[in-house]
Amino acid sequence: MISFQQISLYFTYQNTLNLTETMTNNSIYFVFESIDRDLFPTGYGLTSYNNTEAVSDSDVLDSISNIDHVLEVKPYYQLKTTGYFSRYEEIDTSSSNVKIYDNEDNLINSTLLSDDTATPAIVAYYDNQYIYSDGEKLNGNYIDETAAVQLGLTEEDLENPVTITMEVGMPVCNIYADNVSVRYSYNDVYSDTYYISRSEILYDKIEITLQIDGIISDSDYTDYYNTDCEGLIYVGYDELTSIIDSYLSTDVREDILLYEDDNEVVVEYEPSNYIVLVDSIDNLSQVQSDMETLSSKVFTYSPYSYVKEMTNLRESNFNSNIILSVIYTLIALVVIVIILYRYNIGQKNKIVLYKNLGLNNEEIQKVAKNDIMNVLKLFVIVNVIFLMIEMVYNGEFYGYSQILITTLFVMISVIIAFIIHSINKLILRRVLYD
């Protein structure tokens, strides 16, 4: 029963680990700031985690990729439906037309999104990210529950994939300006003027078409890094990159507005937001610290403030279980030895009878071994019955295969039975030769 409890604790630990990683995610978001953070006026704090209009540093990006425990560094794409930055004349960035078709191309819903309220955005998800739906990693395109409500979609609508056409802000290129005068101030007490290089992403209103395969529950995953949008549409990184790349160009339309005073020029597109995927949530804090030491212009953002606390709690529970397992095992061994010794002492009358019948010590051991073997067989069977009752009671036993759990437990029960048999053999021999 002690071994059963430890197996139960182990799978509970694994289940908690998976749940923690799903809730927490293994990612760190970051942007580049326009000036070194230590040059900001006292009390100044950056409140925006998306485009800071800073120029990305490719050398720093390469260095971050080489940090221990970093799986990959990718741009974090976020295509908003309203409220994006555009300098094209006569583009209404405050609205977005959306049409939804079923798998037979029948129009099932049409809506106009407006920035009078928060609107959904399209974001990328990545192969190495801990995002699951119904216990399986995402495969396809999904919307979260908030976006589903905004677009008028239900679980019944998505029993089969649907197709959405919608207008989004699509990155086209960057607008670059050098030696731009910027003044950072805090309550006008500390202030100074800095000359920076500024890089802004130019967005155009583009209609795109996506296949949506399902709704991802908020209990499965929530992307906290969604700036000022509400509701998300998750598209695989490769697919979203392919869509974005198809619209990139420095050959912009003539109706673009450039600020002549800042000598702005159009340059090739460069992402402004990035995501770092880490091998484990246990290493998030260390990687985040290593990133910030690479450059004082790197500003990291991890919305999971409870990661360290969860990691410490999990490690503490695991260590406690190991200690308890050792203590319980030692107690169990003492109890087993006492019971077996008293049992064999109680068999002395039988032993005298067997000797009077002419049996030698080896023959008496064989007879006694058969008795204990029958008890141990019953021990294994009863253990497995207890396990089956537990699995039936709990349904899917911690989400793992019942065959795997049963096989593992039978093996452990047999090993324990063998240990008990070996201890009994030693005690019986001592009793026989006393």
Side-chain angles (χ1 to χ4, degrees):
M1 296 311 297
I2 292 172
S3 66
F4 174 82
Q5 183 63 26
Q6 296 313 303
I7 293 173
S8 175
L9 287 173
Y10 171 77
F11 284 106
T12 301
Y13 168 80
Q14 290 297 116
N15 194 49
T16 303
L17 172 63
N18 294 335
L19 179 62
T20 303
E21 290 181 338
T22 302
M23 291 172 57
T24 307
N25 205 339
N26 58 325
S27 53
I28 301 170
Y29 303 93
F30 76 97
V31 294
F32 289 96
E33 296 182 314
S34 300
I35 65 171
D36 293 341
R37 175 155 285 270
D38 54 6
L39 297 179
F40 280 132
T42 302
Y44 180 85
L46 184 69
T47 58
S48 176
Y49 302 116
N50 58 339
N51 189 3
T52 59
E53 300 180 0
V55 178
S56 299
D57 191 325
S58 58
D59 291 336
V60 173
L61 291 174
D62 292 338
S63 298
I64 293 174
S65 300
N66 294 324
I67 293 176
D68 289 342
H69 305 295
V70 170
L71 298 176
E72 55 185 351
V73 179
K74 298 286 190 182
Y76 179 73
Y77 297 123
Q78 186 178 74
L79 308 186
K80 298 182 181 180
T81 48
T82 63
Y84 45 89
F85 169 78
S86 180
R87 291 196 194 170
Y88 283 125
E89 296 178 354
E90 299 180 359
I91 281 188
D92 181 11
T93 63
S94 65
S95 65
S96 172
N97 287 297
V98 181
K99 294 182 179 180
I100 305 173
Y101 301 86
D102 62 18
N103 61 335
E104 296 179 352
D105 291 331
N106 298 313
L107 181 66
I108 60 175
N109 195 15
S110 177
T111 185
L112 177 66
L113 299 174
S114 171
D115 64 0
D116 292 337
T117 58
T119 52
I122 298 171
V123 297
Y125 71 88
Y126 310 83
D127 291 339
N128 286 322
Q129 214 169 1
Y130 299 154
I131 306 180
Y132 296 84
S133 178
D134 296 328
E136 297 181 357
K137 295 196 77 170
L138 289 193
N139 182 21
N141 302 328
Y142 286 74
I143 61 175
D144 65 11
E145 293 176 332
T146 302
V149 171
Q150 292 173 322
L151 301 180
L153 286 172
T154 64
E155 292 282 359
E156 290 74 18
D157 294 327
L158 283 161
E159 289 180 355
N160 295 303
V162 301
T163 301
I164 294 181
T165 63
M166 61 192 312
E167 295 172 323
V168 299
M170 182 68 63
V172 177
C173 60
N174 281 56
I175 299 174
Y176 176 81
D178 199 12
N179 289 328
V180 178
S181 174
V182 177
R183 191 180 186 207
Y184 294 92
S185 62
Y186 178 73
N187 290 339
D188 292 327
V189 176
Y190 301 97
S191 63
D192 203 349
T193 298
Y194 303 92
Y195 292 90
I196 64 171
S197 296
R198 187 184 68 211
S199 183
E200 297 178 283
I201 300 174
L202 173 69
Y203 291 88
D204 195 1
K205 177 181 275 192
I206 300 292
E207 184 180 82
I208 64 173
T209 300
L210 297 171
Q211 176 178 297
I212 304 298
D213 300 286
I215 299 176
I216 185 169
S217 170
D218 290 342
S219 61
D220 284 337
Y221 181 75
T222 299
D223 188 341
Y224 296 98
Y225 189 76
N226 56 10
T227 62
D228 56 351
C229 61
E230 184 175 339
L232 296 174
I233 301 173
Y234 297 92
V235 179
Y237 173 76
D238 291 338
E239 179 180 351
L240 191 55
T241 299
S242 177
I243 294 173
I244 291 173
D245 287 347
S246 66
Y247 291 100
L248 297 181
S249 174
T250 55
D251 186 18
V252 296
R253 302 200 309 257
E254 293 182 356
D255 57 345
I256 184 176
L257 299 174
L258 293 177
Y259 300 151
E260 295 182 0
D261 293 344
D262 290 337
N263 297 317
E264 290 184 332
V265 294
V266 174
V267 297
E268 292 184 353
Y269 169 72
E270 187 174 36
S272 61
N273 300 278
Y274 297 89
I275 184 171
V276 177
L277 300 172
V278 183
D279 58 4
S280 170
I281 62 170
D282 298 343
N283 299 316
L284 280 179
S285 297
Q286 182 59 51
V287 171
Q288 191 169 4
S289 175
D290 291 342
M291 289 171 57
E292 292 172 347
T293 59
L294 289 174
S295 171
S296 55
K297 289 187 177 182
V298 171
F299 181 72
T300 60
Y301 171 59
S302 179
Y304 317 108
S305 58
Y306 49 83
V307 169
K308 188 173 182 180
E309 288 76 8
M310 290 291 291
T311 300
N312 292 340
L313 178 62
R314 200 178 65 213
E315 290 178 353
S316 175
N317 288 341
F318 186 67
N319 293 334
S320 298
N321 288 339
I322 293 176
I323 295 172
L324 288 175
S325 298
V326 172
I327 294 174
Y328 289 156
T329 301
L330 293 175
I331 293 174
L333 283 173
V334 171
V335 172
I336 288 171
V337 169
I338 293 173
I339 291 174
L340 290 177
Y341 181 77
R342 292 181 62 83
Y343 168 77
N344 284 287
I345 289 294
Q347 301 299 305
K348 274 198 170 183
N349 290 335
K350 280 188 178 181
I351 293 172
V352 171
L353 175 62
Y354 291 148
K355 286 185 176 182
N356 290 336
L357 292 173
L359 299 179
N360 59 34
N361 287 339
E362 286 72 20
E363 291 171 330
I364 294 174
Q365 285 189 63
K366 288 182 180 179
V367 174
K369 184 179 71 173
N370 290 332
D371 291 340
I372 196 69
M373 286 299 294
N374 290 331
V375 173
L376 292 177
K377 287 177 184 177
L378 180 62
F379 164 80
V380 173
I381 293 172
V382 171
N383 275 346
V384 174
I385 291 174
F386 272 120
L387 177 70
M388 299 302 293
I389 293 173
E390 177 74 14
M391 286 195 295
V392 170
Y393 179 77
N394 285 335
E396 287 296 325
F397 191 76
Y398 300 107
Y400 289 83
S401 167
Q402 292 187 3
I403 296 177
L404 170 64
I405 300 294
T406 304
T407 303
L408 177 63
F409 196 71
V410 169
M411 291 173 61
I412 291 177
S413 296
V414 170
I415 292 172
I416 293 174
F418 176 77
I419 293 172
I420 294 174
H421 176 263
S422 299
I423 294 173
N424 183 73
K425 187 175 180 180
L426 293 173
I427 294 174
L428 179 61
R429 179 172 295 179
R430 175 156 186 173
V431 171
L432 284 171
Y433 288 95
D434 277 348

Short mmCIF file of all heavy atoms in Angstrom, two decimals, residues 26 71-72 74 125-131 137-138 236-238 277:
data_model
loop_
_atom_site.label_atom_id
_atom_site.label_comp_id
_atom_site.label_asym_id
_atom_site.label_seq_id
_atom_site.Cartn_x
_atom_site.Cartn_y
_atom_site.Cartn_z
N ASN A 26 6.25 28.25 -21.69
CA ASN A 26 7.71 28.23 -21.58
C ASN A 26 8.31 29.36 -22.40
O ASN A 26 9.30 29.17 -23.09
CB ASN A 26 8.26 26.89 -22.07
CG ASN A 26 7.85 26.58 -23.50
OD1 ASN A 26 6.74 26.94 -23.92
ND2 ASN A 26 8.71 25.94 -24.25
N LEU A 71 15.46 27.23 -26.71
CA LEU A 71 15.16 26.36 -27.84
C LEU A 71 15.20 27.14 -29.15
O LEU A 71 15.77 26.68 -30.13
CB LEU A 71 13.78 25.72 -27.65
CG LEU A 71 13.61 24.82 -26.42
CD1 LEU A 71 12.17 24.35 -26.31
CD2 LEU A 71 14.56 23.63 -26.50
N GLU A 72 14.57 28.30 -29.17
CA GLU A 72 14.57 29.12 -30.38
C GLU A 72 14.09 30.53 -30.05
O GLU A 72 13.42 30.76 -29.05
CB GLU A 72 13.69 28.50 -31.46
CG GLU A 72 12.26 28.22 -31.04
CD GLU A 72 11.47 27.50 -32.11
OE1 GLU A 72 11.99 27.37 -33.24
OE2 GLU A 72 10.35 27.06 -31.83
N LYS A 74 12.05 33.61 -31.98
CA LYS A 74 11.21 33.87 -33.14
C LYS A 74 10.55 35.24 -33.03
O LYS A 74 10.34 35.76 -31.93
CB LYS A 74 10.09 32.81 -33.24
CG LYS A 74 10.58 31.38 -33.43
CD LYS A 74 11.08 31.15 -34.84
CE LYS A 74 11.34 29.68 -35.08
NZ LYS A 74 11.88 29.43 -36.44
N TYR A 125 1.56 30.77 -33.10
CA TYR A 125 1.98 29.83 -32.06
C TYR A 125 3.09 28.95 -32.64
O TYR A 125 3.24 28.85 -33.87
CB TYR A 125 0.81 28.99 -31.53
CG TYR A 125 0.27 27.94 -32.48
CD1 TYR A 125 0.81 26.66 -32.52
CD2 TYR A 125 -0.80 28.23 -33.33
CE1 TYR A 125 0.31 25.69 -33.37
CE2 TYR A 125 -1.29 27.27 -34.19
CZ TYR A 125 -0.74 26.00 -34.21
OH TYR A 125 -1.24 25.05 -35.06
N TYR A 126 3.86 28.30 -31.77
CA TYR A 126 5.12 27.69 -32.19
C TYR A 126 5.17 26.22 -31.78
O TYR A 126 4.54 25.79 -30.80
CB TYR A 126 6.30 28.45 -31.56
CG TYR A 126 6.20 29.94 -31.78
CD1 TYR A 126 5.42 30.73 -30.93
CD2 TYR A 126 6.85 30.56 -32.83
CE1 TYR A 126 5.30 32.10 -31.14
CE2 TYR A 126 6.74 31.92 -33.04
CZ TYR A 126 5.96 32.69 -32.19
OH TYR A 126 5.84 34.04 -32.40
N ASP A 127 5.96 25.43 -32.53
CA ASP A 127 6.04 23.99 -32.28
C ASP A 127 6.54 23.68 -30.88
O ASP A 127 6.11 22.71 -30.26
CB ASP A 127 6.98 23.33 -33.31
CG ASP A 127 6.40 23.32 -34.71
OD1 ASP A 127 5.16 23.44 -34.83
OD2 ASP A 127 7.17 23.21 -35.69
N ASN A 128 7.46 24.49 -30.36
CA ASN A 128 8.06 24.22 -29.05
C ASN A 128 7.31 24.89 -27.90
O ASN A 128 7.80 24.94 -26.78
CB ASN A 128 9.52 24.68 -29.03
CG ASN A 128 10.41 23.75 -29.82
OD1 ASN A 128 10.24 22.54 -29.79
ND2 ASN A 128 11.37 24.31 -30.54
N GLN A 129 6.11 25.39 -28.19
CA GLN A 129 5.34 26.06 -27.16
C GLN A 129 4.39 25.07 -26.49
O GLN A 129 3.89 24.14 -27.12
CB GLN A 129 4.53 27.21 -27.79
CG GLN A 129 4.35 28.41 -26.92
CD GLN A 129 3.77 29.59 -27.70
OE1 GLN A 129 3.49 29.50 -28.89
NE2 GLN A 129 3.58 30.70 -27.02
N TYR A 130 4.16 25.26 -25.19
CA TYR A 130 3.26 24.38 -24.45
C TYR A 130 1.82 24.87 -24.64
O TYR A 130 1.24 25.47 -23.74
CB TYR A 130 3.59 24.36 -22.96
CG TYR A 130 4.97 23.88 -22.62
CD1 TYR A 130 5.60 24.29 -21.45
CD2 TYR A 130 5.67 23.01 -23.45
CE1 TYR A 130 6.87 23.84 -21.11
CE2 TYR A 130 6.93 22.56 -23.12
CZ TYR A 130 7.53 22.98 -21.96
OH TYR A 130 8.78 22.54 -21.63
N ILE A 131 1.24 24.59 -25.79
CA ILE A 131 -0.16 24.95 -26.03
C ILE A 131 -0.90 23.68 -26.43
O ILE A 131 -0.52 23.02 -27.39
CB ILE A 131 -0.32 26.01 -27.12
CG1 ILE A 131 0.53 27.25 -26.80
CG2 ILE A 131 -1.78 26.41 -27.26
CD1 ILE A 131 0.42 28.34 -27.84
N LYS A 137 -1.31 18.72 -28.52
CA LYS A 137 -0.71 19.96 -29.02
C LYS A 137 -1.49 20.46 -30.23
O LYS A 137 -2.03 19.68 -31.01
CB LYS A 137 0.75 19.72 -29.39
CG LYS A 137 1.64 19.38 -28.20
CD LYS A 137 3.11 19.53 -28.52
CE LYS A 137 3.54 20.98 -28.53
NZ LYS A 137 5.00 21.14 -28.60
N LEU A 138 -1.54 21.77 -30.36
CA LEU A 138 -2.29 22.38 -31.45
C LEU A 138 -1.78 21.89 -32.81
O LEU A 138 -0.58 21.77 -33.02
CB LEU A 138 -2.17 23.91 -31.40
CG LEU A 138 -2.90 24.66 -30.28
CD1 LEU A 138 -2.92 26.14 -30.60
CD2 LEU A 138 -4.31 24.15 -30.09
N GLY A 236 -0.43 28.76 -36.93
CA GLY A 236 0.91 28.20 -36.87
C GLY A 236 1.95 29.17 -37.41
O GLY A 236 1.70 29.89 -38.39
N TYR A 237 3.11 29.20 -36.78
CA TYR A 237 4.14 30.17 -37.13
C TYR A 237 4.50 30.10 -38.62
O TYR A 237 4.61 31.14 -39.28
CB TYR A 237 5.39 29.93 -36.28
CG TYR A 237 6.58 30.76 -36.69
CD1 TYR A 237 6.66 32.11 -36.36
CD2 TYR A 237 7.62 30.20 -37.43
CE1 TYR A 237 7.75 32.88 -36.75
CE2 TYR A 237 8.71 30.97 -37.82
CZ TYR A 237 8.77 32.30 -37.48
OH TYR A 237 9.84 33.06 -37.88
N ASP A 238 4.70 28.91 -39.15
CA ASP A 238 5.10 28.78 -40.57
C ASP A 238 4.03 29.32 -41.50
O ASP A 238 4.34 30.01 -42.48
CB ASP A 238 5.39 27.31 -40.90
CG ASP A 238 6.65 26.80 -40.21
OD1 ASP A 238 7.51 27.63 -39.85
OD2 ASP A 238 6.77 25.58 -40.02
N LEU A 277 11.63 30.80 -26.67
CA LEU A 277 11.07 29.56 -26.17
C LEU A 277 12.14 28.80 -25.40
O LEU A 277 13.23 28.57 -25.92
CB LEU A 277 10.53 28.72 -27.33
CG LEU A 277 9.43 29.42 -28.13
CD1 LEU A 277 9.07 28.64 -29.37
CD2 LEU A 277 8.20 29.63 -27.27
#
